[in-house]
Amino acid sequence: MTNGTARLPAGGRIDRSKTISFMFDGKSYQGHPGDTLASALLANGVTLMGRSFKYHRPRGVVSAGSAEPNALVTLRGGGRREPNIPATLAELHDGLTAISQNRWPSLDFDLGAVNDALKPFLAAGFYYKTFMGPTEKAWMWFEPFIRRAAGLGAAAAERDPDRYERLTLFCDVLVVGGGPAGLAAALAAGRAGARVVLADEGPVLGGMLLDEAAGSDADRWREKVLAELASLTNVRVLTRTTVFGAYDHGVFGLVERVADHKAEPAAFEPRQRYITVRTRAAVVAAGAIERPIGFGNNDRPGVMLASALRSYINRYAVLPGRNILVFTNNDSAYRVAIDGARAKAAVTLVDARAKMPEALAAEARSAGVHLLAGHAVAQVIGYKRVRKAIVAPFDSATGQADTGWKEIRCDLIAMSGGWNPAVHLASQRGIRPHYDNRTAAFLADIPEGHPTAQGMYLAGACNGAFDAPSAAKAGFAQGQAIVSGLGFAAEKAGALPDLAGLPGDQWIEPISPVWDVKAPPGLRARKRFLDFQHDVSASDVELAHREGYVSVEHMKRYTTLGMATDQGKLANVPGLAILAGLRGDAINDVGTTTFRPPYTPVSLGAIAGAETEDHFKPIRRTPFHRANERSGAVFIDTGLWKRAWYYPKAGEDVNASYKREAEQVRRTVGMVDVSSLGKIDVQGPDAAEFLNRIYVNAWAKLEVGKGRYGVMLRDDGVVFDDGTTTRISESHYFMTTTTAGAAKVMAQLEYLLQTAWPNLKVSVTSVTDQWAGVAIAGPNSRALLQDLVSQIDMSNAGLPHMGMREGLIGDIPVRVHRLSFSGELAYEVYTPAGFGEAMWNAIVAKGERHGLVLYGSETLGTLRIEKGHVSAAELDGRTTLDDLGLGGMASKTKPYIGKVLSRREAYLDPARQRFVGLLPVDPNARIRPGSIIHLHGGDHTGFGLGRVTSTTYSPQLKRYIALGLVSGGLGQGHGHGSQEPERMVDACYPLKGDVVAAKLVSPHFFDPEGERLRG
């Protein structure tokens, strides 16, 4: 909604020499550098900027800072789209695009406003009462509608093109806030030689001083202090930086909006920077936030905080109204009325108190302000903007409006209900604010030596010193005291610059708490809003009290007061004060809700920083990565590794590729990169004893040049990891682990040697990155290696199953281990990582004549499922040796980790889930991994008999197969060769509605006797 231009002909801190264009809801407007989106819209006569969440009532701007609840917009477009940004914080730049939120089809005509007529049915807690209904089906019906209505703006669906950074800073003193108190504290600490970081959320430092006329004495004081701070090399000033969180041990979280005020960041410049500051002490000089007052229709566009109006007049040269009514219960709003009158507006000041401050009242009268004491605004008349105010006699002692009310024509109402010190950071550190009757505000006095404060001190308005001179003095004194305690020469701080130019209107007359003005007799009551964003009114608090929600925390959640982006900045104190009155308790006894980080919303981009996509976690590439790339491999992430997934030929997808690769491995020979397997070098005279203790099977008599498959247990008897270990020499072993288990196994071995068995003379070293390895499997694997490797007899006698020999491929040193996880005659060939690519190329060159195929992890999985080998899917931290059919390999004589607890009664229960194979009755039916196994034809609810762990299509069997864990396993006598009928089950996948009938069979689908791998 527009209403001409409201830009003042002179004044303000904007750059009138430049004009910039921006868009709001598809319409073009103009503003100046130094404007915010809110000030520019107001300057263009736009007062309607949003719709409320629940009732979709028209809303205008309320504040001029980060506490703005109404004017939330979505900025930019595409991947840079960012919702829920207060228009009061969005700095204007050329080409800025913004759209309003929470409306359809348009901001001016919103069909959602029908909810306003349904207010009686949508009071506090209506969602708890309405949508449950007599059955749970009622909620299921309502839920989609509720979810569509929830939220405000919509996030971007495209990739964010911008960069985000993280930074850690260390300092002696962190100063939070760049107002008079913060500037003075930074000056004192900086002069004394302390390392200082001064952070403020605005683009310009000054705080309340920025609301004074440009070029005033206050401005000159500010510029003098800023110039001196700039000259101190030990002081770092961060503008556009919000301190959003205070944490243990002097750690603070900050977000710097580096390029949000630009159309797009410059080259290599981040949009935002997440900063962690570690400090010895902190001065929190975060200022105070003016409170609204509850009165009828106080949410209409054109009702704003008095401090916001003063900011728009003096900082942005915008006069949003020509007939202004200022409503206050304290002295601070008189300056607003005077500034408005001097800007040629007709101003009426309504003071709820019977006694006005004489000096300020006299100055206001001389400026042309009409004064009305002992009255209150009871109601606003108007819809999309203020047209009139109903003002009634008011008794501030009883809080009651009386008859004899009258209408005052106005187009803007500036309200001031007092000030809420920004104690949020102190509250985050466990400091409970207490109510101060003098200021009618909650203060966070931090006792000396408070256990959770940890070097945090408050100064200025956030500690109750609301006028500029008092705030500056408090900040300077606090800065001196802190540096003195830190060991710096506090006397170097000198004296505070002369404060004569700072506005020093003291609180001559005490504030008279006014939280809510009820309609006087004879006037129809209207909603008196406390939380503008969530449409929470005084009547909602009253309803919560009637229904038993008498704790402030419960009331908050029942009514949603102070939630979302507000987080209690505006709505909290009036709401809890009303609750205290209803309870008949003192406000301090009711207390406040707990303020938690973040102080203002933090973007996910800033939290993630540069850790996105391939930068999210470290990437490990095997020594064969480039060779795999040249061979056309498609890669998959396996833990931290990039592994070859499959090697497609033209037109092949993964399904076609792995079937072809698996068939050729079984027919000729294949090679797969296994460098990602964990590899641990174990050396020392007690190495054999060490292995004996960590593996379930025996290792003392393992011959040099031989390997053995081993399984480790956790202390509780559950399988920890498996792999092969080979004896290289008398006191030297080469251990391999699963890819996923490499780090945890290494950590466990080190832990045991350092704590449980420090007397063992053993050294363990991770050598995963030092060795490149391939597995060569298939009927032609021996012939291929005979062509390649010298100094090794590749015959059965020369290199038996589970044997290891050292030789050469050309000039490349290699270790050849004969072992198989595919069921084929197979070998693992290792070489130092630097020779890896050369070894790969040599094998590929010789492999052509033997029918070599390169295969990836998908085929590797298919081959191991056909063979019935367990892998990560079965070693899921819940299975025992007996569950996996490996109980026979455990030693009956030696001790080992997990032995005692592995024999617990529950582990020996015949009904435990045991390792089985599954054959679908329909060979073309695919069982999904994760399917729940139920009795065939029985009840398909609940946890069933077990679960499917691995599935694949078997090119050998020409059908789908699966592995799983089923209660009772195959049953008695159902091993290989059994003549008993197989158990029938149903593999159910509820998410897709799949039910596949299957037979339970031995998990060893291929070469169950092991003839091929020993051939």
Side-chain angles (χ1 to χ4, degrees):
M1 183 174 180
T2 62
N3 187 30
T5 179
R7 181 76 74 186
L8 293 172
R13 301 177 187 275
I14 57 174
D15 183 0
R16 295 175 186 266
S17 66
K18 298 178 182 177
T19 300
I20 52 181
S21 297
F22 67 98
M23 301 284 289
F24 179 67
D25 278 353
K27 186 175 179 180
S28 179
Y29 298 94
Q30 291 186 327
H32 301 287
D35 266 323
T36 63
L37 176 61
S39 68
L41 287 173
L42 288 174
N44 283 276
V46 178
T47 55
L48 177 60
M49 298 187 192
R51 292 277 178 166
S52 64
F53 176 67
K54 186 162 64 172
Y55 300 141
H56 287 248
R57 288 167 67 96
R59 293 285 167 81
V61 68
V62 169
S63 77
S66 59
E68 176 56 39
N70 287 345
L72 302 183
V73 298
T74 297
L75 297 181
R76 299 177 289 274
R80 290 193 169 100
R81 178 188 179 97
E82 191 171 8
N84 303 327
I85 302 299
T88 52
L89 286 186
E91 295 179 57
L92 207 63
H93 61 75
D94 205 22
L96 176 69
T97 300
I99 57 173
S100 55
Q101 302 179 162
N102 200 45
R103 80 292 185 275
W104 187 84
S106 71
L107 181 61
D108 194 53
F109 179 72
D110 179 16
L111 288 177
V114 68
N115 287 359
D116 198 24
L118 302 175
K119 287 195 295 290
F121 306 101
L122 302 176
F126 76 95
Y127 29 79
Y128 299 123
K129 306 168 187 175
T130 307
F131 300 126
M132 295 304 154
T135 68
E136 63 180 76
K137 291 183 178 179
W139 168 253
M140 301 305 292
W141 189 87
F142 281 115
E143 185 182 21
F145 300 99
I146 295 172
R147 294 200 180 281
R148 278 196 293 270
L152 295 171
E158 303 172 29
R159 179 183 177 277
D160 187 343
D162 294 325
R163 294 175 61 250
Y164 298 84
E165 288 182 351
R166 284 186 179 177
L167 177 68
T168 299
L169 295 178
F170 298 85
C171 64
D172 297 308
V173 182
L174 170 67
V175 179
V176 182
L183 292 175
L187 187 63
R191 284 175 176 175
R195 295 173 301 167
V196 178
V197 172
L198 170 60
D200 189 271
E201 67 182 3
V204 182
L205 299 183
M208 69 173 76
L209 302 181
L210 296 175
D211 295 338
E212 299 297 320
S216 64
D217 290 342
D219 222 22
R220 284 188 285 273
W221 184 91
R222 181 184 69 88
E223 290 171 355
K224 181 180 179 180
V225 174
L226 288 177
E228 185 172 354
L229 289 175
S231 71
L232 298 174
T233 57
N234 55 315
V235 176
R236 181 168 186 166
V237 175
L238 298 173
T239 57
R240 300 185 176 94
T241 302
T242 300
V243 181
F244 66 80
Y247 305 95
D248 291 344
H249 310 299
V251 175
F252 290 80
L254 290 69
V255 167
E256 181 183 7
R257 294 174 294 279
V258 181
D260 279 358
H261 60 293
K262 304 176 182 178
E264 61 181 72
F268 305 108
E269 182 181 48
R271 175 168 290 284
Q272 294 181 358
R273 185 179 288 123
Y274 185 107
I275 304 174
T276 301
V277 174
R278 301 178 184 275
T279 183
R280 299 171 66 191
V283 179
V284 178
I289 303 168
E290 197 168 26
R291 284 195 296 262
I293 301 175
F295 50 85
N297 287 338
N298 63 332
D299 64 325
R300 294 305 189 198
V303 179
M304 66 174 62
L305 298 173
S307 58
L309 175 59
R310 190 160 196 239
S311 185
Y312 289 121
I313 292 173
N314 290 331
R315 186 171 179 181
Y316 302 107
V318 175
L319 186 62
R322 294 293 173 177
N323 292 288
I324 301 173
L325 189 150
V326 178
F327 175 33
T328 186
N329 64 347
N330 64 85
D331 294 353
S332 67
Y334 279 75
R335 282 284 164 211
V336 182
I338 293 168
D339 289 343
R342 288 173 178 169
K344 309 303 182 187
V347 181
T348 298
L349 185 143
V350 176
D351 195 329
R353 301 170 297 179
K355 184 179 180 182
M356 292 183 167
E358 293 181 5
L360 285 171
E363 187 177 353
R365 287 192 190 95
S366 66
V369 178
H370 176 66
L371 301 178
L372 188 60
H375 282 70
V377 175
Q379 200 169 109
V380 174
I381 298 174
Y383 183 63
K384 291 183 181 177
R385 74 165 300 130
V386 173
R387 293 192 293 109
K388 296 178 184 177
I390 297 178
V391 177
F394 185 76
D395 185 348
S396 60
T398 63
Q400 297 297 315
D402 205 346
T403 55
W405 44 269
K406 57 185 174 183
E407 293 183 0
I408 297 179
R409 183 171 296 279
C410 58
D411 55 10
L412 190 148
I413 297 176
M415 55 185 168
S416 177
W419 295 82
N420 292 332
V423 298
H424 299 68
L425 295 179
S427 180
Q428 291 173 18
R429 294 298 310 120
I431 308 300
R432 296 295 296 183
H434 74 276
Y435 185 74
D436 177 62
N437 286 304
R438 182 185 66 85
T439 57
F442 277 88
L443 303 179
D445 287 342
I446 302 177
E448 188 67 31
H450 190 282
T452 62
Q454 297 174 336
M456 180 187 291
Y457 305 89
L458 274 61
C462 77
N463 202 34
F466 295 131
D467 64 286
S470 298
K473 289 175 184 177
F476 197 77
Q478 198 65 269
Q480 284 180 306
I482 287 173
V483 293
S484 177
L486 296 179
F488 293 93
E491 63 273 11
K492 290 184 179 180
L496 185 63
D498 184 19
L499 300 176
L502 296 187
D505 294 331
Q506 301 298 321
W507 295 72
I508 302 165
E509 294 297 334
I511 183 173
S512 178
V514 177
W515 315 109
D516 175 39
V517 180
K518 296 180 180 178
L523 183 66
R524 181 183 176 187
R526 301 290 182 182
K527 285 281 187 182
R528 310 180 307 278
F529 288 95
L530 307 175
D531 185 323
F532 299 111
Q533 193 169 100
H534 275 172
D535 285 321
V536 180
S537 65
S539 61
D540 291 318
V541 176
E542 293 163 359
L543 176 63
H545 176 263
R546 286 200 305 273
E547 298 191 352
Y549 293 91
V550 295
S551 161
V552 66
E553 295 285 2
H554 293 163
M555 182 270 288
K556 169 186 174 180
R557 284 153 181 81
Y558 190 65
T559 63
T560 69
L561 179 86
M563 291 188 178
T565 64
D566 179 80
Q567 288 299 297
K569 294 181 184 66
L570 295 181
N572 207 45
V573 175
L576 63 89
I578 292 172
L579 179 64
L582 294 169
R583 285 174 42 175
D585 293 330
I587 294 177
N588 194 57
D589 294 338
V590 174
T592 67
T593 54
T594 302
F595 299 111
R596 299 181 179 90
Y599 173 68
T600 53
V602 177
S603 71
L604 293 177
I607 294 172
E611 296 174 6
T612 61
E613 298 181 339
D614 286 345
H615 304 290
F616 176 64
K617 55 187 177 181
I619 295 175
R620 302 181 73 177
R621 297 177 176 87
T622 74
F624 304 124
H625 189 83
R626 288 181 297 183
N628 278 315
E629 286 181 323
R630 289 194 296 270
S631 299
V634 175
F635 293 93
I636 190 171
D637 291 333
T638 307
L640 298 177
W641 291 92
K642 291 286 186 185
R643 293 191 68 182
W645 185 18
Y646 61 100
Y647 297 83
K649 290 190 173 181
E652 283 187 340
D653 61 6
V654 60
N655 293 311
S657 186
Y658 87 79
K659 293 171 186 175
R660 171 184 54 79
E661 292 168 9
E663 281 188 298
Q664 192 165 342
V665 171
R666 299 288 190 205
R667 190 172 62 252
T668 57
V669 62
M671 180 170 70
V672 62
D673 180 358
V674 294
S675 302
S676 63
L677 290 175
K679 295 176 278 292
I680 300 173
D681 196 72
V682 184
Q683 297 193 44
D686 295 328
E689 173 62 19
F690 179 56
L691 295 176
N692 237 15
R693 296 182 185 184
I694 62 173
Y695 281 122
V696 302
N697 45 340
W699 292 81
K701 297 181 180 180
L702 182 67
E703 301 172 18
V704 173
K706 292 282 286 186
R708 183 165 291 166
Y709 174 71
V711 177
M712 303 177 192
L713 302 184
R714 298 189 319 219
D715 290 336
D716 62 358
V718 170
V719 174
F720 180 55
D721 201 68
D722 71 338
T724 60
T725 296
T726 302
R727 195 166 195 168
I728 307 300
S729 67
E730 189 66 25
S731 59
H732 183 191
Y733 293 80
F734 180 74
M735 176 189 292
T736 63
T737 72
T738 59
T739 296
K744 69 177 183 179
V745 171
M746 183 65 192
Q748 175 72 352
L749 300 186
E750 290 181 321
Y751 169 77
L752 291 170
L753 289 173
Q754 293 174 25
T755 59
W757 308 316
N759 59 310
L760 290 184
K761 298 176 181 178
V762 180
S763 171
V764 292
T765 306
S766 174
V767 292
T768 300
D769 293 333
Q770 279 64 46
W771 290 92
V774 295
I776 299 175
N780 296 350
S781 58
R782 178 182 287 126
L784 172 58
L785 289 174
Q786 283 174 335
D787 264 1
L788 277 166
V789 182
S790 61
Q791 302 183 6
I792 298 179
D793 177 5
M794 300 300 300
S795 67
N796 256 334
L799 183 55
H801 182 62
M802 297 305 293
M804 184 280 297
R805 301 291 183 269
E806 294 183 336
L808 296 171
I809 294 179
D811 296 327
I812 302 169
V814 296
R815 286 180 185 169
V816 180
H817 302 247
R818 183 177 169 188
L819 53 90
S820 175
F821 285 90
S822 62
E824 293 291 339
L825 174 65
Y827 304 83
E828 288 183 3
V829 183
Y830 292 97
T831 189
F835 295 103
E837 196 166 348
M839 183 183 80
W840 179 281
N841 293 336
I843 296 172
V844 169
K846 287 283 188 181
E848 291 182 9
R849 72 181 71 172
H850 298 279
L852 179 70
V853 63
L854 302 179
Y855 67 96
S857 61
E858 190 71 20
T859 300
L860 183 66
T862 295
L863 299 176
R864 75 96 186 165
I865 293 171
E866 287 182 335
K867 181 60 180 172
H869 271 300
V870 295
S871 187
E874 291 76 39
L875 307 180
D876 63 356
R878 294 180 285 177
T879 49
T880 68
L881 284 172
D882 290 333
D883 295 343
L884 301 174
L886 301 175
M889 68 183 292
S891 172
K892 302 292 191 297
T893 58
K894 75 177 182 73
Y896 55 84
I897 291 176
K899 180 176 183 177
V900 175
L901 294 183
S902 70
R903 309 315 297 166
R904 283 183 289 181
E905 183 179 353
Y907 287 168
L908 304 178
D909 185 348
R912 270 187 70 84
Q913 295 178 7
R914 307 294 188 185
F915 188 46
V916 298
L918 295 97
L919 280 180
V921 174
D922 179 357
N924 297 315
R926 174 176 176 259
I927 298 176
R928 294 179 183 271
S931 293
I932 302 170
I933 299 173
H934 293 278
L935 283 173
H936 179 57
D939 181 17
H940 289 173
T941 61
F943 295 103
L945 301 174
R947 62 193 184 278
V948 175
T949 56
S950 307
T951 68
T952 190
Y953 178 84
S954 169
Q956 291 300 302
L957 303 181
K958 307 301 182 187
R959 63 182 300 154
Y960 285 97
I961 60 175
L963 301 175
L965 291 151
V966 176
S967 177
L970 296 177
Q972 295 295 323
H974 280 82
H976 177 65
S978 170
Q979 299 302 310
E980 294 188 26
E982 291 120 337
R983 294 176 67 187
M984 290 292 296
V985 296
D986 290 333
C988 305
Y989 197 78
L991 291 178
K992 297 289 185 180
D994 290 355
V995 177
V996 179
K999 296 180 289 186
L1000 298 187
V1001 298
S1002 166
H1004 308 299
F1005 297 99
F1006 178 78
D1007 190 28
E1009 304 299 337
E1011 296 173 358
R1012 290 177 69 118
L1013 64 88
R1014 291 185 174 85

